[in-house]
Amino acid sequence: MPGEEKAPVRLSLPLDYQQQIFHELREDDKLLILARGLGLLRIVTNLLHSYDAAGNNLIFVIGADDRENTWMGESLAEKAEVSRMTGKCRGLTKVDSDNVTAVARQKMYANTGLFSVTSRILIVDFLSGMVDVSKITGVIVLHAENAKATSTEAFILRKYRQENKNGFLKAFSDVPEAFTSGFAPLSTMLRNLFLRQVALYPRFQTDVASSLDGKMKRAEVIELNVDMTESMRVIQGAVMECTEASISELKKLNSGLEMEEWNMDNALQRNFNQIMRRQLGPIMHRVTPKSKQILNDLGVLHDILQYIMRYDAVSFQRYLDTVLVNAQADEGKRKENPSPWLLMDAADTLFETAKRRVYTGKIPDNKDGPNGQTPARSDTLRPVLEELPKWDLLSQILTEIEQDVYFNPVPRDDSSGAILIMCADVSTCAQIREYLETMHIMPDEDEEDENVEDPGSSTSAAFMMRRKLRAYIHWKRNFTRVTASLEAETQQPTNGQANDRGAQASRGRAPPNKRRRVRGASAAASGPNRTDYGVRTAGDRDAHMNSLLQKLEITELEADQKEEVVVDPLEKMEDYYELFNMKDLLVIHPYDGDMDEHVLEEVKPRYIIMMEPDAAFVRRIEVYRSSHTDRNVRVYFMSYGQSVEEQRYLAAVEREKHAFTKLIKERGKMTITLDVDNNNPEETFLRTINTRIAGGGRLAATAQQPRIVADMREFRSPLTGLLHARNMDVVPAQLTVGDYILTPNICIERKSIPDLIGSFKSGRLYNQVETMLEHYKSPMLLIEFGDTKNFTLEPFADLSHSAAAAAMSSPDLQSKIVILTLHFPRLRIVWSSSPYQTAEIFDELKKQQEEPDPFRAVEIGLEEGEDAETGRVFNQDPMDMLRIIPGVTEKNIVRISLSFNSIQELANTGEDEICDLIGREAGRQIFRFFNRDVIDD
Amino acid sequence: QDLRARTGPSNIIVSTRQKGNPILKEIKNSAWEYGDIDPDYILGVTTCALFLSLKYHRLHPEYIYGRIRALQGRWNLRVLLVMVDITAHEESLKELSKTSLINNVTIMLCWSTAEAGRYLELYKVYENAPATAIKAPPSKSHGDRLIEFITTPRSVNKTDALGLVSNFGSVRTAVNARPEEILLIAGWGQTKVKQWNAAVSEPFRTRQ
């Protein structure tokens, strides 16, 4: 093969287009945008291997996530083994904050090799000189779509290109959609990446097409369109109706925003909620609580829409229960109206239909005893247990495969004969596994049961569903108790509404004389509403459930079956397990991006059943099939007709195609512009220096490059990159006090609006300001807005409620800032409309001032005995969780975090031990928090 | 609360210079009266405020410095209430940030007359208020803390939290649960489970 002699390395790129891409990228620095499913990681690893085998290269991979690191690491090791070059190849080393200390990193880098580093750490290492940037052989960027102008990745690349002109730089992405929004998105992105060329490989590119469609036999694909059941259709329709209503409500509440993308088509997309949140993100502080609520609702509705097709009827009902109770708890707490969609008729239809899929029956009116304990007539409720249509189809397919195998017993090819079932997620896997295990067991009673649709079918999920329903009823009892105990508590602290709330809390225990059934026309009146959907939640009384449970009495046959295995600890593995013959194997696996490629390679299936459509996986099969001409594959492709699932699949394919078409057009037009303004980042670099000197006053200050000490954690924010772009020397350090140190006197705490709200709420800001005041002469709080367009704290709603009314009870953000300034008159507030503006302001504040001393900055605020190295670098989430636990205070938190390793360890510690550490009262509170059982008390 | 502890004007004192300023109409919930004073507003014993519209500042950049000088460093908290009424505010705000550092004034931004009026009211209302509202939160019920605790990892929402608690009963069991067990709860996908597990098993302190 061409190029092979140049790189004496064994490549594993069986297809022509893969070879071509490999060589194209080996030659030039390019951005590769590849269609999903065409094996991006395979190309990356081959590329890495070719450098790895050459030895003595220092290469950094940035932007890779955990799974990708594992993937690349494994296949690099494998390749090294195959090409018998283990001596030279080092494989990939993953570097993140948890596993390697700074000193160790420096040593590792000095020894060269391949490193996949978290961006935040790499930029710190670059800036603090732990790696000699000019000695780097090359940088590889994965997920190039994330390299926005202000991203850490772009910062890394700028630093890299400033000090290293010869190293290679290659970027990869398989999300073409990300390159199509905004003005000239592709060329902007290329500029951020410091690249000039782009290689586009959509599925319809000629080389790709000829590799996959060409001479060889294609995979045998059988498409199966299943109809949803009537009730599923009804539920789907109802959810769509609710979604649509919620969207239009949101639009109404937030007029004046760009809402082009807020439509039903997009609402079906997987990442719709992310899109909305990203759009609303910078203005979240101005959005009314109602809008926020609806935004949450949309997320929930989106989930429901997916679960209706994946979950079995009982699990679905169980999920709806949690959703409802949650909405109710919110309502109780905020004294606000419930989510608008819950008031719609469609919501009623949704909940009613969902319940009828599980059980049904005539429910007696309020004639039974005062406490609802009178034994209900035995025919009140009976299980329905609707099955998912795909299950039956699956069993039919398996029968067909069995016959096929029977008639062609010897596999004629290299495939293993195994059956691979692909489904959406892990819980679906579990569900399908359970179904397959139990589908031949027939609970024999209930001959008149209507749900055994056609008498001919020999399989049924009845056993599984009955088991699930039994579990559900038990769970439901506990659940009512849990919610009651949670709710009962919330009413105590707010004394004002105690009466009103007391009535609500008792709802869980189903008071007598409650009207049941659908409320119908009363949708507008708020009083009846509340009670009514209380009924929907708390649902059926114990007595009814008991009767239902009796119906589900475990039959002999059922009792014979083994318990459902949730987690197999794999004890004494050797005694019980042996290797299966591959051809007897039935593998169930969730879709998992690029990892699926490995699954295919390892299982070598003869049959593949796709429970849900997935465009990328279809391509993976194509690639797999074309790569192995000697393996036959038959694919069964299942989807619900007329469903959201189908629509989503088609839309995704369409959008990708559209994105590539747009990219190809832009590439055609942009070549010249790029050559002009992108060739030398240093030019802009020099320009900045000159302007600065011109404005400077004292020579001493300007002769030196201006310096800013920034906290390590701040390297996640765009500001550090922008400061560097303004030619400031950004020194990373572990700061205990403040985020940025501009001069020996000026210490700045940076808060974005969400941070500000959060740290006011937790009380953290108060402490931070206190310590800043203790150690610095001019402490400043920087309030940074997302972008210039949303530079205001004013809410969309008018400020009609009076200050006095709002005053003491629940102060809003403005009030809190006022209180803060009243308590700390020495604190200055810097308002900045965007990170760009902040960089300008920092520049201004620093003018004619002394430069800060990084070593001094690190020492400030450390307690005695603490040295900077082991310092106070906390993991955010666990620390935040710790703060919430009752008994934990700002004083003892240090002690706790030093004595215990993790939340888990703390949770498993005995009461006495905690008490010994931080005192009786606090210790008991902590212990009780972890060990209190909400079900039993 | 003890409002009489310190003696000071119970009303907002407004300088006669401010006559005709539309923000006066927006002070609705606190009483105010004119007085012959150096600052524009007196909001408490040691608190005063100057009002500045950016539109005006652009035309008369010297004005505000004269006013600040006139205060002669007498007030403990000197608020500079700046109304952002122009779109090209960057330059002015940059300059004012520097000013606030040199001249010891605290800048507060507002975007409308209504908001400006509200800030003045707020300063008066909170004049002697304790800092409890911005200190560590008051004690909450077990249920609230429970939900808050579980929803700390970014992708976990309240519905998930409820599902988790109702499935495992106590926090300890939930914390110790294996990922496979949590995955079976409706709504808990792989991302959530991963983040939750990381949060409870990660060490509090990392070594760099």
Side-chain angles (χ1 to χ4, degrees):
Chain A
M1 242 160 260
E4 200 83 320
E5 55 282 350
K6 210 163 61 184
V9 191
R10 285 270 299 272
L11 300 176
S12 54
L13 295 167
L15 297 180
D16 285 349
Y17 78 88
Q18 294 172 333
Q19 291 276 347
Q20 194 188 330
I21 296 173
F22 175 83
H23 292 297
E24 196 176 334
L25 278 153
R26 189 80 162 80
E27 302 279 303
D28 288 313
D29 285 0
K30 277 193 180 179
L31 163 67
L32 170 69
I33 304 179
L34 189 67
R36 263 183 292 264
L38 290 184
L40 183 85
L41 275 186
R42 180 184 279 264
I43 291 164
V44 176
T45 36
N46 274 291
L47 203 58
L48 281 175
H49 177 60
S50 73
Y51 292 112
D52 193 18
N56 288 328
N57 284 324
L58 178 57
I59 294 169
F60 288 103
V61 180
I62 56 175
D65 65 28
D66 266 0
R67 291 176 321 166
E68 285 160 345
N69 279 329
T70 325
W71 206 104
M72 292 189 292
E74 279 175 11
S75 48
L76 277 177
E78 195 184 309
K79 284 197 178 61
E81 197 60 52
V82 169
S83 22
R84 299 178 194 289
M85 300 188 59
T86 32
K88 257 186 173 176
C89 293
R90 304 261 175 75
L92 186 75
T93 316
K94 192 183 132 199
V95 179
D96 60 26
S97 57
D98 296 336
N99 58 9
V100 212
T101 62
V103 187
R105 285 207 300 272
Q106 195 164 12
K107 235 176 248 162
M108 280 163 46
Y109 296 149
N111 279 337
T112 73
L114 268 57
F115 300 96
S116 173
V117 195
T118 320
S119 302
R120 190 183 64 83
I121 294 180
L122 189 62
I123 189 62
V124 168
D125 288 352
F126 272 19
L127 289 172
S128 52
M130 283 208 277
V131 52
D132 186 351
V133 179
S134 61
K135 295 235 170 72
I136 296 172
T137 319
V139 174
I140 286 187
V141 186
L142 293 188
H143 293 285
E145 69 272 10
N146 295 332
K148 305 266 155 22
T150 52
S151 67
T152 318
E153 285 77 19
F155 186 7
I156 291 176
L157 296 179
R158 187 174 55 237
K159 178 84 185 159
Y160 170 58
R161 270 299 175 236
Q162 271 177 15
E163 298 181 18
N164 185 333
K165 299 279 184 300
N166 306 317
F168 70 79
L169 173 55
K170 298 164 201 308
F172 297 85
S173 171
D174 60 355
V175 190
E177 294 89 345
F179 295 87
T180 54
S181 56
F183 173 71
L186 183 59
S187 45
T188 314
M189 213 55 141
L190 285 171
R191 205 170 302 138
N192 296 341
L193 290 165
F194 292 90
L195 284 172
R196 277 182 233 178
Q197 292 174 37
V198 59
L200 299 172
Y201 281 90
R203 171 67 178 79
F204 55 80
Q205 203 262 357
T206 40
D207 298 305
V208 178
S210 69
S211 297
L212 296 182
D213 304 331
K215 50 213 185 275
M216 291 163 279
K217 255 195 303 169
R218 302 186 58 185
E220 195 181 343
V221 180
I222 300 168
E223 279 187 41
L224 296 159
N225 223 325
V226 205
D227 280 334
M228 291 194 284
T229 63
E230 183 57 34
S231 46
M232 283 169 80
R233 238 199 312 279
V234 170
I235 293 175
Q236 179 180 297
V239 178
M240 303 264 270
E241 200 177 311
C242 293
T243 312
E244 200 157 5
S246 301
I247 291 179
S248 61
E249 183 73 24
L250 198 57
K251 281 186 178 172
K252 221 187 300 165
L253 287 171
N254 298 300
S255 51
L257 287 179
E258 273 178 51
M259 289 175 292
E260 263 172 55
E261 290 188 339
W262 302 6
N263 54 39
M264 273 313 273
D265 273 349
N266 280 327
L268 299 183
Q269 291 308 321
R270 244 174 258 273
N271 54 358
F272 179 60
N273 221 25
Q274 284 167 18
I275 296 177
M276 302 275 282
R277 277 179 194 280
R278 203 178 314 136
Q279 253 191 29
L280 287 172
I283 51 164
M284 258 313 181
H285 57 283
R286 295 164 62 204
V287 167
T288 56
K290 179 131 195 167
S291 304
K292 276 184 203 154
Q293 189 183 15
I294 296 178
L295 202 58
N296 278 332
D297 292 346
L298 280 171
V300 171
L301 287 168
H302 191 262
D303 283 348
I304 295 180
L305 210 49
Q306 294 199 352
Y307 295 155
I308 175 70
M309 277 167 291
R310 286 186 199 162
Y311 285 6
D312 58 89
V314 178
S315 307
F316 185 68
Q317 172 69 14
R318 183 166 158 171
Y319 179 73
L320 287 184
D321 278 348
T322 29
V323 168
L324 256 184
V325 166
N326 196 31
Q328 206 173 33
D330 277 0
E331 178 200 352
K333 230 168 275 170
R334 286 202 247 117
K335 288 161 282 171
E336 262 169 38
N337 295 327
S339 301
W341 72 274
L342 285 170
L343 297 179
M344 292 175 58
D345 284 343
D348 261 331
T349 322
L350 161 68
F351 288 107
E352 276 300 312
T353 322
K355 196 196 273 180
R356 256 190 286 118
R357 289 170 77 205
V358 182
Y359 55 84
T360 182
K362 232 182 90 208
I363 287 110
D365 292 336
N366 45 3
K367 280 170 195 147
D368 36 306
N371 49 4
Q373 286 304 316
T374 317
R377 292 201 315 278
S378 59
D379 62 338
T380 45
L381 286 179
R382 62 194 163 73
V384 175
L385 301 176
E386 184 180 280
E387 300 180 13
L388 288 183
K390 274 184 184 173
W391 293 343
D392 191 46
L393 189 65
L394 177 64
S395 77
Q396 285 176 30
I397 294 174
L398 289 174
T399 321
E400 189 186 309
I401 292 176
E402 221 167 280
Q403 282 166 358
D404 190 53
V405 173
Y406 182 76
F407 289 121
N408 312 302
V410 192
R412 296 155 308 178
D413 53 31
D414 192 32
S415 67
S416 67
I419 304 169
L420 176 66
I421 301 178
M422 296 299 292
C423 53
D425 53 27
V426 181
S427 56
T428 327
C429 283
Q431 174 209 84
I432 290 171
R433 188 199 60 200
E434 197 182 347
Y435 170 71
L436 292 177
E437 273 170 7
T438 59
M439 66 182 178
H440 292 293
I441 308 161
M442 295 289 174
D444 43 9
E445 35 90 70
D446 272 12
E447 270 92 337
E448 72 283 316
D449 204 317
E450 299 143 57
N451 76 353
V452 183
E453 331 79 83
D454 55 317
S457 93
S458 61
T459 57
S460 122
F463 174 79
M464 173 174 89
M465 292 300 278
R466 284 164 61 89
R467 183 152 75 182
K468 279 191 189 289
L469 183 55
R470 267 195 301 276
Y472 168 73
I473 294 170
H474 286 300
W475 169 83
K476 177 94 180 191
R477 275 198 198 137
N478 291 340
F479 186 60
T480 339
R481 239 178 285 159
V482 171
T483 50
S485 87
L486 290 186
E487 224 172 287
E489 261 186 55
T490 47
Q491 66 171 335
Q492 285 159 3
T494 46
N495 28 23
Q497 281 73 28
N499 284 342
D500 172 38
R501 207 76 65 68
Q504 278 185 43
S506 62
R507 194 170 38 188
R509 274 159 243 118
N513 302 331
K514 182 151 283 179
R515 249 188 76 244
R516 326 191 20 98
R517 309 302 300 176
V518 199
R519 30 178 178 77
S522 63
S526 80
N529 270 338
R530 294 197 154 194
T531 10
D532 258 326
Y533 81 71
V535 171
R536 285 206 300 228
T537 337
D540 305 275
R541 279 159 254 190
D542 274 358
H544 299 151
M545 283 311 199
N546 280 334
S547 80
L548 192 56
L549 206 51
Q550 274 163 21
K551 293 224 146 200
L552 293 167
E553 197 86 342
I554 302 176
T555 61
E556 257 178 62
L557 194 67
E558 285 177 313
D560 285 345
Q561 297 304 315
K562 60 175 175 165
E563 281 291 297
E564 188 191 347
V565 186
V566 177
V567 181
D568 194 335
L570 293 180
E571 280 162 7
K572 297 187 192 158
M573 199 159 82
E574 295 81 11
D575 300 352
Y576 294 103
Y577 296 88
E578 55 177 314
L579 277 180
F580 275 110
N581 189 342
M582 278 308 265
K583 79 176 184 354
D584 303 329
L585 223 56
L586 197 153
V587 182
I588 308 174
H589 209 271
Y591 292 122
D592 196 11
D594 283 312
M595 300 305 275
D596 294 343
E597 219 170 290
H598 274 193
V599 174
L600 285 174
E601 292 292 344
E602 270 161 33
V603 178
K604 294 190 242 167
R606 171 77 183 83
Y607 305 95
I608 299 172
I609 304 173
M610 295 173 68
M611 298 295 288
E612 252 186 52
D614 182 284
F617 192 74
V618 173
R619 298 218 183 100
R620 275 181 238 285
I621 298 178
E622 286 180 324
V623 172
Y624 168 76
R625 179 68 186 85
S626 312
S627 315
H628 305 278
T629 37
D630 52 347
R631 289 179 199 168
N632 280 311
V633 182
R634 185 192 287 171
V635 183
Y636 294 90
F637 180 96
M638 254 191 243
S639 75
Y640 285 117
Q642 315 252 295
S643 71
V644 171
E645 178 183 277
E646 189 187 33
Q647 210 173 325
R648 191 181 292 157
Y649 168 69
L650 294 174
V653 173
E654 187 51 44
R655 276 195 317 160
E656 195 198 59
K657 202 171 140 196
H658 183 71
F660 268 118
T661 324
K662 239 179 125 180
L663 283 175
I664 291 169
K665 268 193 200 140
E666 199 193 327
R667 179 174 61 175
K669 278 187 279 184
M670 72 169 190
T671 22
I672 303 162
T673 38
L674 247 177
D675 273 339
V676 176
D677 64 350
N678 190 39
N679 39 19
N680 197 356
E682 189 149 26
E683 248 171 41
T684 44
F685 181 52
L686 286 168
R687 241 197 329 265
T688 346
I689 296 185
N690 291 337
T691 39
R692 258 206 62 80
I693 291 172
R698 266 196 303 176
L699 249 168
T702 40
Q704 209 178 347
Q705 196 186 11
R707 184 193 308 141
I708 286 182
V709 184
D711 187 48
M712 296 273 198
R713 273 158 296 187
E714 281 297 311
F715 284 86
R716 282 196 192 96
S717 83
L719 182 55
T720 44
L722 292 169
L723 289 171
H724 182 260
R726 291 184 65 85
N727 188 32
M728 291 192 222
D729 183 11
V730 185
V731 183
Q734 308 230 352
L735 299 181
T736 311
V737 181
D739 292 331
Y740 295 88
I741 313 296
L742 303 194
T743 73
N745 290 328
I746 303 179
C747 166
I748 293 190
E749 178 70 39
R750 187 186 75 99
K751 295 280 179 211
S752 66
I753 299 296
D755 284 350
L756 186 68
I757 295 169
S759 58
F760 262 133
K761 211 165 112 195
S762 68
R764 202 164 64 230
L765 183 59
Y766 187 91
N767 297 318
Q768 285 171 331
V769 174
E770 223 172 20
T771 45
M772 279 204 297
L773 275 162
E774 204 178 300
H775 297 284
Y776 287 94
K777 207 174 123 212
S778 312
M780 302 182 105
L781 170 67
L782 165 69
I783 300 179
E784 190 178 84
F785 290 72
D787 60 60
T788 320
K789 235 191 310 179
N790 296 303
F791 182 45
T792 169
L793 280 180
E794 262 197 304
F796 288 109
D798 59 345
L799 296 155
S800 53
H801 50 275
S802 68
M808 296 304 172
S809 58
S810 63
D812 60 4
L813 185 57
Q814 278 107 322
S815 315
K816 284 178 177 170
I817 302 175
V818 165
I819 298 175
L820 188 75
T821 53
L822 278 166
H823 277 266
F824 301 108
R826 256 178 63 209
L827 177 75
R828 302 283 160 257
I829 299 182
V830 178
W831 303 75
S832 167
S833 53
S834 69
Y836 291 95
Q837 164 84 347
T838 311
E840 299 239 349
I841 294 177
F842 277 14
D843 209 356
E844 181 74 29
L845 291 177
K846 278 180 65 60
K847 267 182 195 160
Q848 306 178 30
Q849 304 269 340
E850 270 178 68
E851 299 300 337
D853 174 7
F855 297 103
R856 166 115 190 85
V858 169
E859 274 164 18
I860 284 181
L862 282 180
E863 266 167 39
E864 219 159 301
E866 271 183 314
D867 68 288
E869 190 55 35
T870 56
R872 301 180 158 195
V873 188
F874 299 114
N875 272 326
Q876 195 72 47
D877 274 357
M879 288 308 278
D880 282 349
M881 287 165 94
L882 204 54
R883 272 194 195 91
I884 295 165
I885 301 171
V888 176
T889 61
E890 282 301 323
K891 287 206 183 71
N892 62 25
I893 195 165
V894 179
R895 193 141 217 206
I896 296 173
S897 68
L898 275 174
S899 309
F900 298 100
N901 192 31
S902 65
I903 296 270
Q904 215 160 29
E905 198 179 305
L906 180 63
N908 292 323
T909 307
E911 187 170 353
D912 293 338
E913 202 179 316
I914 308 179
C915 286
D916 286 346
L917 188 72
I918 53 163
R920 188 110 205 91
E921 185 51 38
R924 266 189 38 220
Q925 278 183 325
I926 295 178
F927 181 78
R928 190 158 159 68
F929 176 80
F930 281 114
N931 289 278
R932 182 165 165 193
D933 198 316
V934 269
I935 296 172
D936 283 341
D937 70 23
Chain B
Q1 73 269 39
D2 197 3
L3 280 172
R4 305 274 157 260
R6 302 193 209 170
T7 47
S10 57
N11 295 345
I12 298 176
I13 312 288
V14 181
S15 157
T16 38
R17 275 196 210 86
Q18 289 288 309
K19 227 169 228 173
N21 189 337
I23 70 172
L24 291 176
K25 282 195 212 107
E26 304 290 344
I27 308 176
K28 290 170 184 153
N29 300 292
S30 299
W32 59 270
E33 60 192 56
Y34 285 118
D36 188 16
I37 51 172
D38 286 332
D40 290 336
Y41 301 92
I42 293 180
L43 303 166
V45 186
T46 54
T47 309
C48 75
L50 291 173
F51 177 78
L52 179 68
S53 135
L54 281 187
K55 221 183 246 169
Y56 186 84
H57 181 65
R58 219 165 33 165
L59 296 171
H60 309 279
E62 290 309 315
Y63 161 80
I64 196 64
Y65 297 101
R67 295 300 308 278
I68 295 175
R69 219 173 299 127
L71 296 180
Q72 297 167 349
R74 253 177 300 152
W75 303 86
N76 189 18
L77 173 60
R78 315 191 294 177
V79 178
L80 179 59
L81 187 57
V82 177
M83 182 137 103
V84 184
D85 46 9
I86 53 176
T87 42
H89 46 66
E90 286 85 358
E91 268 310 306
S92 313
L93 286 180
K94 186 172 89 180
E95 177 207 327
L96 286 172
S97 297
K98 181 85 176 176
T99 310
S100 86
L101 182 72
I102 295 167
N103 294 307
N104 296 329
V105 288
T106 301
I107 295 182
M108 296 295 282
L109 293 194
C110 59
W111 284 267
S112 69
T113 51
E115 208 188 357
R118 199 171 127 81
Y119 268 126
L120 294 176
E121 285 174 11
L122 284 173
Y123 270 105
K124 192 69 201 167
V125 169
Y126 287 116
E127 188 185 349
N128 295 316
T132 37
I134 54 170
K135 268 189 183 161
S139 75
K140 278 178 275 181
S141 72
H142 182 67
D144 283 344
R145 281 182 189 261
L146 204 75
I147 301 292
E148 206 183 317
F149 180 81
I150 301 174
T151 51
T152 305
R154 209 156 40 90
S155 59
V156 182
N157 64 31
K158 279 197 222 155
T159 314
D160 304 328
L162 217 51
L164 192 74
V165 182
S166 64
N167 207 56
F168 292 109
S170 77
V171 184
R172 188 154 78 104
T173 349
V175 164
N176 287 323
R178 284 158 163 274
E180 296 90 332
E181 293 175 287
I182 306 178
L183 267 175
L184 291 181
I185 304 170
W188 282 81
Q190 268 158 315
T191 336
K192 288 178 188 173
V193 173
K194 210 173 136 193
Q195 287 199 4
W196 163 256
N197 262 63
V200 297
S201 58
E202 249 173 12
F204 293 123
R205 289 169 178 245
T206 57
R207 282 178 304 126
Q208 276 279 345

